[in-house]
Amino acid sequence: MSQGNTPDDAFWDQFWCETYTSVQDVFALVPAAEIRALREESPSNLATLCYKAMDKLVQGASSGVQTEKERQIVLNCTRLLTRILPYIFEDPDWRGFFWSTVPGASQEEEEDQCRPLAESLLLSIADLLFCPDFTVNSHDKSASDSARDFQSIDSCEFIWEAGVGFAQSPAANYIHDQNRTELLKLLLTCFSEAIYLPPSSEKKSLNPWVTFFASSENRHALPLFTSLLNVVCAYDPVGMGFPYNHLLFSDQRALQALDTSAANAPISGPENLFVNYLSRIHREEDFSFILKGVSSLLNNPLLQTYLPHSTKKIQFHQELLVLFWKLCDINKKFLFFVLKSSNVLEILVPILFYLNESRMDHSKLGLVHLGVFILLLLSGERNFGVRLNKPYTLRVPMDVPVFTGTHADLLIVIFHKLMTCGHQRLQPLFDCLLTIIVNISPYLKSLSMVAASKLLHLLEAFSTPWFLFSSPQNNHLVFFLLEVCNNIIQYQFDGNSKLVYSIIRKRTIFHQLANLPCDAVSINNALQKMKKKRPELSRTSSTDTQSSDVFKQDVPPEQGTFKASLEAMPGIDKITEKSQVCADGTLMSVSRSVAPQTTEGGANAATFDCRIALSWKSKLPLQTIMRLLQVLVPQVEKICIDKGLTDETEILQFLQHGTLVGLLPVPHPILIRKYQANTGTTAWFHTYMWGVIYLRNVDPPIWYDTDIRLFEIQRT
């Protein structure tokens, strides 16, 4: 690519030969207005600046970085391109610039010389990430040998951290870490062309930068993948355990590795080597290393100490959750490893913590969605439900009712808070939350009174006529909750006296459902009541201890957050596939039923709603619960009268020793709704991931004040 020395080289050299101390200096010295002015008024000069800066990186990647001057030049060119590229990408007329070749390259020149600029830049970055004495420790060769052998080194011998596929932990080198971080920022910037395209455009084509970098053209793909994964999973923010030791260190090393990994993940299939390598990890010791590292970092913000601010609290939990999601989704052996022991609970508790903490904050709705999708994926496996029976003894700082119970109880209590005390924009997630509870319900051996009461409160709230008739889909929530009750009664009756007691106490809910009026007059009356209420039914129910005023308070977004203009999520039927559990424990796919067509508004809406309501009402699975009430209510009433019982403890003892064997309908098959990847969730994750990356890279502010199209930025 090098064009040789020209008379004006001295002019261009001033851009990278000056002694800048940091990337922040470059951002301050090269204002956005000047870059745009150069782009519009002197496009040839902007093109030349890019050529020249890239030429310096290619030279460094070809011969190594031997001297301090060469190091300074490579770093400054890296910083300059990081600064300029977003302004190239934001202009549609410039987007193809890096996919052209260097002007004047002759046909006789080597193939590498005729590569598109983008490919040359990406390969140079990859080479420099494994450059001895610049980003990795050398193996004690002489300088001349290092220069000669640089292009032939096996970068698998220079993996940055011990862990998957590499046993030795290289000596720590802060300067090398800093240099890698600068290069990774540039790599992320190269990948970020995607954020300058609207969501509709991004669906139609793959990101060419990621496609090339993750292909076999990149000889460093495997060692870089391994390095990024190991740096994250080996990171210890607590260090030696000394109070306040975090003031001496930074987590930029792990954060930059996470962001780069996430940016490589969206393009799936055999052509993406990073995804391919992730899917092929199989050794148990590697799985253990990854799970231990991720769970340790996720639990870090939950740690409590006696000395205020004495322990490092990481802030990159969103990136960690994206990584964990991709691991489970792409590598099923890892998913099964996670679920085969109660280690999965080390992931569950921090996810529930983040869900609870974020439920009222508009700017954190993406985090809530992400956590729920992970739990939906896990809930499709039987072992997840079984693991939830482990007692919950850890006291994480969460504002939830005090209870003695299991991890399943904690999950139900948190989900109840999301639905009753969460931001109103979480309502599309209600189906997903209840699907998770349905999936785990056949395996829950003993719900606490707190969790049982929360489930019945949700059923009471969602079964009020005005809510049921206000939307054709609202009845789904009642179906899910009835399915939860049926699963527990049919498959875990013996240990669930508290749920049975709650069902008996709230038996009017089921009688009202069985006798729900579905004539046009009743439906219209119910809808008239809806107009007098807020449309968040479960948030204004009198049976909940919270007042309706609480639910009107939305926490304002934190400063510097982006407006969550995320893709709309597809319905639960689009992101799950029904499977029936057979007698031998295997799963058999269940064919999808075609949902009835619905209409909105119009003069005949009430008549149409009447037909729809009659249709779903006739399918309500009430038989098992009504039979339970028919058998147990008279027994409970009799014992209360005969013994003068007023204490629920004695009633619970009676129910614990009761049985319904032979009295209930034949047990229904267990239905599990397993998560299925689809274009809707892929688009959602793509937008969410880039929003997180944008927010994390504010020092320097790589994409600030550029014309981003993938999501909206909220200026606060």
Side-chain angles (χ1 to χ4, degrees):
M1 177 178 163
S2 178
Q3 302 291 298
N5 292 329
T6 61
D8 61 351
D9 273 351
F11 169 77
W12 298 107
D13 283 348
Q14 67 180 322
F15 286 98
W16 36 80
C17 290
E18 297 293 331
T19 309
Y20 304 124
T21 57
S22 68
V23 65
Q24 288 82 2
D25 288 348
V26 172
F27 272 63
L29 289 166
V30 186
E34 290 190 11
I35 301 174
R36 287 192 174 109
L38 192 64
R39 185 185 69 196
E40 302 303 323
E41 298 166 15
S42 304
S44 61
N45 284 347
L46 178 60
T48 303
L49 181 61
C50 292
Y51 295 145
K52 296 287 187 181
M54 277 189 54
D55 191 38
K56 295 298 181 183
L57 292 187
V58 171
Q59 289 178 29
S62 300
S63 57
V65 182
Q66 305 296 319
T67 66
E68 180 58 30
K69 181 180 179 182
E70 290 175 349
R71 173 183 173 276
Q72 196 67 50
I73 290 174
V74 167
L75 286 177
N76 283 337
C77 289
T78 299
R79 295 160 180 165
L80 191 63
L81 288 170
T82 302
R83 180 57 168 155
I84 292 174
L85 256 61
Y87 299 92
I88 299 284
F89 295 152
E90 74 172 4
D91 188 331
D93 294 335
W94 275 82
R95 260 177 227 142
F97 169 74
F98 276 95
W99 295 98
S100 61
T101 56
V102 180
S106 65
Q107 294 294 323
E108 291 78 22
E109 288 185 281
E110 296 180 13
E111 180 183 344
D112 282 353
Q113 295 290 90
C114 296
R115 281 188 179 278
L117 299 175
E119 293 184 6
S120 297
L121 176 58
L122 291 171
L123 292 178
S124 297
I125 295 171
D127 282 339
L128 288 167
L129 284 169
F130 293 93
C131 179
D133 294 320
F134 181 59
T135 51
V136 294
N137 295 325
S138 67
H139 289 176
D140 299 325
K141 289 187 176 182
S142 67
S144 58
D145 288 340
S146 298
R148 185 171 60 252
D149 297 341
F150 178 52
Q151 283 298 313
S152 60
I153 66 168
D154 180 2
S155 48
C156 286
E157 297 177 4
F158 294 88
I159 290 172
W160 302 345
E161 186 58 80
V164 176
F166 198 65
Q168 294 141 0
S169 185
N173 189 309
Y174 177 74
I175 299 299
H176 291 173
D177 284 346
Q178 290 291 94
N179 295 344
R180 291 173 194 159
T181 298
E182 302 253 21
L183 289 165
L184 290 176
K185 281 185 186 293
L186 175 56
L187 188 59
L188 267 181
T189 308
C190 292
F191 294 161
S192 70
E193 179 181 306
I195 69 176
Y196 296 96
L197 303 173
S200 57
S201 301
E202 183 58 26
K203 289 177 186 174
K204 299 174 185 175
S205 60
L206 297 176
N207 185 328
W209 295 84
V210 175
T211 301
F212 178 79
F213 192 78
S215 74
S216 56
E217 293 276 352
N218 179 3
R219 69 188 181 102
H220 303 292
L222 177 58
L224 181 57
F225 163 79
T226 310
S227 295
L228 295 172
L229 183 62
N230 291 354
V231 163
V232 172
C233 295
Y235 177 57
D236 180 10
V238 179
M240 299 294 292
F242 300 129
Y244 304 104
N245 74 320
H246 63 278
L247 300 178
L248 304 175
F249 306 103
S250 166
D251 57 14
Q252 278 297 312
R253 183 174 188 247
L255 174 58
Q256 211 65 55
L258 267 173
D259 282 349
T260 310
S261 301
N264 266 293
I267 300 176
S268 58
E271 299 304 317
N272 186 318
L273 292 180
F274 286 77
V275 173
N276 183 268
Y277 296 143
L278 194 65
S279 70
R280 286 165 48 192
I281 299 173
H282 63 278
R283 298 192 311 167
E284 292 232 339
E285 54 266 43
D286 290 337
F287 288 155
S288 180
F289 167 74
I290 295 169
L291 181 58
K292 181 180 178 183
V294 172
S295 63
S296 174
L297 290 170
L298 283 176
N299 280 279
N300 166 266
L302 283 60
L303 298 175
Q304 299 184 79
T305 59
Y306 292 105
L307 296 173
H309 310 298
S310 63
T311 303
K312 173 82 171 182
K313 302 290 188 183
I314 65 156
Q315 299 298 321
F316 49 80
H317 47 274
Q318 295 183 85
E319 291 92 331
L320 281 167
L321 290 174
V322 170
L323 174 62
F324 181 77
W325 164 266
K326 287 296 178 183
L327 280 161
C328 290
D329 192 32
I330 293 169
N331 192 320
K332 295 307 177 188
K333 289 181 180 178
F334 176 76
L335 174 61
F336 299 145
F337 175 84
V338 170
L339 292 169
K340 80 175 188 178
S341 75
S342 32
N343 288 337
V344 67
L345 303 178
E346 297 294 314
I347 300 290
L348 170 71
V349 172
I351 289 178
L352 293 178
F353 171 83
Y354 296 127
L355 293 182
N356 184 57
E357 183 185 56
S358 307
R359 71 183 191 280
M360 294 286 287
D361 190 340
H362 180 200
S363 70
K364 295 182 179 178
L365 297 185
L367 172 58
V368 175
H369 278 73
L370 177 58
V372 171
F373 292 144
I374 291 174
L375 296 182
L376 177 63
L377 177 67
L378 295 176
S379 74
E381 307 298 331
R382 175 185 177 275
N383 272 357
F384 182 65
V386 173
R387 300 301 166 211
L388 292 177
N389 290 304
K390 184 175 180 180
Y392 174 67
T393 55
L394 183 67
R395 287 294 170 248
V396 171
M398 287 191 276
D399 56 333
V400 296
V402 176
F403 68 91
T404 300
T406 66
H407 285 76
D409 295 313
L410 178 66
L411 181 145
I412 290 170
V413 168
I414 296 295
F415 280 16
H416 177 270
K417 292 199 75 170
L418 286 174
M419 288 186 271
T420 61
C421 309
H423 195 284
Q424 64 181 17
R425 288 187 60 188
L426 291 180
Q427 285 192 16
L429 276 181
F430 286 8
D431 277 2
C432 208
L433 293 167
L434 293 182
T435 297
I436 294 167
I437 300 178
V438 170
N439 281 349
I440 65 175
S441 60
Y443 314 110
L444 305 184
K445 296 185 179 299
S446 179
L447 286 184
S448 69
M449 185 63 79
V450 171
S453 299
K454 299 300 184 187
L455 286 177
L456 268 295
H457 169 246
L458 290 175
L459 183 57
E460 181 176 23
F462 293 142
S463 61
T464 56
W466 74 264
F467 180 78
L468 280 172
F469 298 138
S470 63
S471 169
Q473 287 77 39
N474 282 357
N475 65 83
H476 297 174
L477 305 178
V478 171
F479 274 84
F480 285 136
L481 286 162
L482 291 176
E483 190 175 345
V484 170
C485 294
N486 288 336
N487 281 342
I488 294 176
I489 292 169
Q490 289 280 22
Y491 293 99
Q492 300 292 344
F493 176 82
D494 288 347
N496 275 292
S497 58
K498 296 182 178 70
L499 178 64
V500 173
Y501 175 70
S502 298
I503 290 173
I504 292 173
R505 282 190 62 220
K506 295 287 186 179
R507 57 190 178 277
T508 55
I509 300 173
F510 306 99
H511 291 299
Q512 288 171 357
L513 275 173
N515 298 293
L516 184 72
C518 294
D519 58 281
V521 174
S522 298
I523 290 174
N524 279 328
N525 288 339
L527 294 176
Q528 289 301 316
K529 290 181 181 179
M530 178 186 70
K531 294 178 181 178
K532 301 175 184 178
K533 296 172 177 268
R534 283 175 57 81
E536 302 100 321
L537 163 100
S538 61
R539 304 175 186 202
T540 57
S541 175
S542 60
T543 58
D544 196 50
T545 56
Q546 304 282 351
S547 72
S548 60
D549 289 339
V550 174
F551 311 120
K552 299 175 184 177
Q553 299 170 2
D554 292 338
V555 177
E558 294 178 357
Q559 185 171 3
T561 56
F562 76 101
K563 184 177 179 180
S565 57
L566 295 170
E567 290 279 288
M569 282 308 306
I572 190 69
D573 59 325
K574 299 290 196 303
I575 63 174
T576 57
E577 181 180 84
K578 283 186 180 179
S579 297
Q580 182 174 310
V581 180
C582 302
D584 61 357
T586 58
L587 294 178
M588 179 177 67
S589 181
V590 177
S591 60
R592 294 181 183 272
S593 58
V594 179
Q597 297 295 312
T598 60
T599 60
E600 295 182 11
N604 297 321
T607 306
F608 191 84
D609 280 345
C610 179
R611 297 199 306 270
I612 296 295
L614 283 169
S615 173
W616 60 252
K617 181 192 170 185
S618 66
K619 298 174 184 176
L620 285 172
L622 289 167
Q623 298 86 346
T624 298
I625 297 171
M626 298 305 279
R627 181 59 178 156
L628 176 146
L629 293 173
Q630 183 184 7
V631 173
L632 291 182
V633 169
Q635 294 181 15
V636 171
E637 289 178 342
K638 184 176 186 303
I639 196 173
C640 287
I641 294 171
D642 292 349
K643 296 189 176 182
L645 297 183
T646 56
D647 184 4
E648 68 179 24
T649 305
E650 296 183 60
I651 300 174
L652 287 170
Q653 289 177 349
F654 167 75
L655 292 172
Q656 280 173 0
H657 298 96
T659 181
L660 293 176
V661 175
L663 299 175
L664 294 177
V666 176
H668 57 279
I670 296 174
L671 285 180
I672 300 297
R673 295 163 179 84
K674 295 173 74 76
Y675 169 81
Q676 294 294 314
N678 61 84
T679 54
T681 52
T682 300
W684 185 92
F685 273 105
H686 175 77
T687 306
Y688 172 74
M689 177 199 69
W690 274 111
V692 172
I693 292 174
Y694 174 94
L695 290 177
R696 289 288 183 245
N697 289 272
V698 293
D699 186 22
I702 297 176
W703 301 283
Y704 180 75
D705 207 25
T706 58
D707 188 20
I708 290 172
R709 307 288 301 281
L710 187 63
F711 49 80
E712 295 177 25
I713 306 299
Q714 181 165 353
R715 315 288 184 187
T716 56

